[in-house]
Amino acid sequence: KTAEQKAQDKSNCEQYVQTALKRDVTVQFLYERLLQLGCRPPDDLIRCVDCGTKPVAGGFGVVEEIDSTATTQKNNMASSAKCAQTQQEINTLIAKQNDGDAKLKLLPDIFLCQQNIQNETHARE
């Protein structure tokens, strides 16, 4: 796809997300419940990303390794695999945690693959 097509895909996807946040009663209910519980979702909880040629509509969460030797955290999701960590990557992280070599946490994240979202209904599903 051209840069112009990618920009249009992102714009369309972001519009679908904004519409869902404003009009979809299920999404509104979930956000309201989180707020009532004192948990403010991050502004970019639902985001549109370029997933390249992966035939997926979106996904949930990222497994992150917490660097226990410093106060920083390192994100083990490769930039070339923005849309999803592979099962092997996740298994490797879990094995490191089981061996006591790492601590893991699941980051809240909902992503939509902007080039694969077909319409507003598809984005909400």
Side-chain angles (χ1 to χ4, degrees), residues 11 18 21 39-40 44 47 49 57 60 65 80 83 104 119:
S11 176
Q18 290 307 311
L21 290 173
C39 302
R40 175 160 171 66
D44 64 347
R47 56 193 179 88
V49 297
F60 303 92
E65 180 179 347
S80 63
C83 283
L104 305 179
N119 54 43

Side-chain angles (χ1 to χ4, degrees), residues 2-63:
T2 67
E4 186 176 300
Q5 288 170 319
K6 287 181 180 183
Q8 185 61 48
D9 287 344
K10 185 166 188 71
S11 176
N12 289 342
C13 181
E14 288 174 347
Q15 182 60 46
Y16 299 149
V17 169
Q18 290 307 311
T19 300
L21 290 173
K22 292 176 185 170
R23 294 196 307 195
D24 187 277
V25 293
T26 303
V27 173
Q28 289 177 348
F29 172 79
L30 292 173
Y31 265 80
E32 287 170 13
R33 289 296 296 150
L34 286 170
L35 291 171
Q36 288 172 359
L37 294 169
C39 302
R40 175 160 171 66
D43 291 335
D44 64 347
L45 176 66
I46 303 172
R47 56 193 179 88
C48 298
V49 297
D50 183 350
C51 295
T53 60
K54 292 184 179 185
V56 295
F60 303 92
V62 172
V63 177

